[in-house]
Amino acid sequence: MEEAALKTHRLTMENREKLSLSGVLDVYSFDEHQVLLSTGAGELSIHGKDLHVNRLQLEQGEVEVEGKIDSFQYSEGGMKHQKEGPWLARLFR
């Protein structure tokens, strides 16, 4: 798919239980409490409980996340590098 098409970003949430995303450029990390990814609209952090990435098709720029979604937040950039420290700290607890 063309790079311009991947930059168009859409987020659809159903009942705080399912997020369908398009325009996803990369997935940095995910676990049952947090999903960190890059979209055409900026970096996106999804927080919740029992989160699962059910569909991951980066070639098409599509991701589907299910679980109890508490919040999501966009930022302009640099999230990947800012989150590496805490992610590694959680890994070695």
Side-chain angles (χ1 to χ4, degrees), residues 30-49:
F30 59 90
D31 61 29
E32 63 185 28
H33 301 288
Q34 183 178 42
V35 179
L36 303 174
L37 43 88
S38 173
T39 74
E43 309 293 325
L44 178 61
S45 174
I46 303 165
H47 297 271
K49 296 178 183 129

Side-chain angles (χ1 to χ4, degrees), residues 79-93:
M79 181 185 298
K80 178 179 180 182
H81 302 293
Q82 293 172 1
K83 297 297 180 182
E84 284 178 357
W87 180 80
L88 286 175
R90 287 194 314 262
L91 182 66
F92 293 111
R93 282 187 189 173

Side-chain angles (χ1 to χ4, degrees), residues 4-68:
L6 287 176
K7 290 184 180 182
T8 301
H9 174 61
R10 179 180 15 227
L11 181 145
T12 305
M13 183 164 42
E14 298 175 27
N15 299 320
R16 288 184 58 191
E17 296 173 351
K18 180 179 176 181
L19 274 179
S20 300
L21 301 126
S22 65
V24 176
L25 304 174
D26 197 6
V27 176
Y28 299 138
S29 67
F30 59 90
D31 61 29
E32 63 185 28
H33 301 288
Q34 183 178 42
V35 179
L36 303 174
L37 43 88
S38 173
T39 74
E43 309 293 325
L44 178 61
S45 174
I46 303 165
H47 297 271
K49 296 178 183 129
D50 299 322
L51 298 179
H52 302 281
V53 176
N54 286 342
R55 186 169 52 106
L56 175 61
Q57 297 177 328
L58 285 180
E59 297 82 21
Q60 290 81 26
E62 297 176 354
V63 174
E64 187 176 278
V65 177
E66 289 189 2
K68 183 180 183 296

